[in-house]
Amino acid sequence: MIVINLLPYHLRPIQRTPVPYILSIAFFLLIVGGMAGLFLSAQNRIAAGQRELQRLEADLAKLTETVEEFNQLSEKKQQLEGKISIIKTILSDRIIWSEQLHRLATLTPDNIWYKGIRVTWQNFKEKKVKINPKTGKPVLDPKTKRPQTETTTIRRPVLEISGYVINDEQGESKIYPLTEKTTTDPDFKKMFTLLRPRVDDTEFAGFAVRGFTLEYQIELGGGD
């Protein structure tokens, strides 16, 4: 039997081809496959990273004892360096007091005796060049272009000697012979610098005497 379509051409049903649908489905599957591949690749990289991390953590755990031992040795090294520094300072500033006291005794006139000898610490004002902490160079005065100075307080050891003076053969009770000898003796003045003598008239055991206190700044390292 022959089928004749009598409908006008524009009313006739269009015969659509399935090729575009097939291509769309294929493209979609291709995209899904690519995303799945990227996901699997990322998972593999994550897994490899985790394995590497576990290996490094295991290696670090093996080195923990070594690191702790190194830290302990470093701490001991710092402590020893501190002790060595202190010992060096003591040795560089050492004073053999037996020798110094013997020298003082030989310089002391017969009409002087001591009641006390001690070492104290006192504050001294000193001027020094002002240093820029950032550059390490002296700070210059903007007007004179010369280095600026600043006054600082420094603690220094002081030898304090106190005692009494009685009349000598000439009937005088002066402290000058002692101070003159201690400031001119080459060995004594190299280590001790006279600061300010204090003298006052007083009594000792019912006798009129002249009391004195002499202060000498100790020059650290002067005996080396």
Side-chain angles (χ1 to χ4, degrees):
M1 182 178 62
I2 300 174
V3 180
I4 299 174
N5 191 350
L6 299 178
L7 292 172
Y9 183 79
H10 64 279
L11 295 178
R12 295 178 184 178
I14 299 174
Q15 298 293 332
R16 300 184 182 278
T17 176
V19 174
Y21 300 101
I22 295 173
L23 291 177
S24 298
I25 294 172
F27 183 71
F28 175 76
L29 293 176
L30 181 63
I31 292 175
V32 172
M35 294 177 64
L38 292 175
F39 176 77
L40 293 176
S41 176
Q43 289 296 107
N44 290 333
R45 288 198 298 270
I46 293 173
Q50 289 179 343
R51 289 193 297 270
E52 180 68 14
L53 177 61
Q54 291 175 355
R55 185 185 67 80
L56 293 175
E57 288 178 345
D59 293 341
L60 181 61
K62 294 178 182 178
L63 295 175
T64 300
E65 294 182 359
T66 304
V67 172
E68 292 179 354
E69 184 178 358
F70 174 79
N71 291 335
Q72 292 176 358
L73 291 175
S74 298
E75 185 177 355
K76 290 182 179 178
K77 179 184 177 182
Q78 293 179 354
Q79 294 175 353
L80 289 175
E81 287 178 348
K83 292 180 179 179
I84 291 173
S85 177
I86 294 174
I87 292 173
K88 286 183 177 180
T89 302
I90 294 174
L91 290 178
S92 63
D93 298 336
R94 69 188 185 278
I95 297 176
I96 303 176
W97 284 105
S98 59
E99 294 182 1
Q100 302 306 322
L101 294 177
H102 175 72
R103 182 174 290 112
L104 177 62
T106 60
L107 299 175
T108 303
D110 294 336
N111 64 323
I112 293 178
W113 76 94
Y114 300 115
K115 69 174 181 178
I117 298 176
R118 65 173 184 168
V119 175
T120 63
W121 288 83
Q122 297 183 16
N123 294 329
F124 292 85
K125 299 290 185 179
E126 290 189 358
K127 285 187 176 181
K128 66 176 184 179
V129 176
K130 191 175 182 179
I131 301 297
N132 188 323
K134 294 183 179 179
T135 62
K137 297 181 180 180
V139 178
L140 300 180
D141 187 283
K143 295 182 179 179
T144 63
K145 302 302 181 182
R146 294 182 179 180
Q148 294 183 356
T149 60
E150 58 182 355
T151 302
T152 60
T153 301
I154 301 177
R155 287 181 62 81
R156 295 185 180 278
V158 173
L159 175 65
E160 182 183 279
I161 303 172
S162 58
Y164 301 103
V165 184
I166 61 175
N167 291 337
D168 57 12
E169 296 178 354
Q170 287 74 32
E172 297 180 345
S173 55
K174 294 182 179 180
I175 193 64
Y176 172 76
L178 176 61
T179 57
E180 195 271 338
K181 289 183 178 180
T182 57
T183 53
T184 57
D185 180 79
D187 292 328
F188 194 86
K189 72 176 184 180
K190 181 172 62 176
M191 183 165 290
F192 304 100
T193 301
L194 181 63
L195 297 176
R196 47 189 177 275
R198 298 193 300 271
V199 180
D200 62 308
D201 293 325
T202 183
E203 289 187 357
F204 181 79
F207 294 94
V209 295
R210 176 162 292 180
F212 68 88
T213 300
L214 304 179
E215 292 180 341
Y216 295 85
Q217 179 178 316
I218 300 175
E219 305 297 336
L220 297 178
D224 289 349

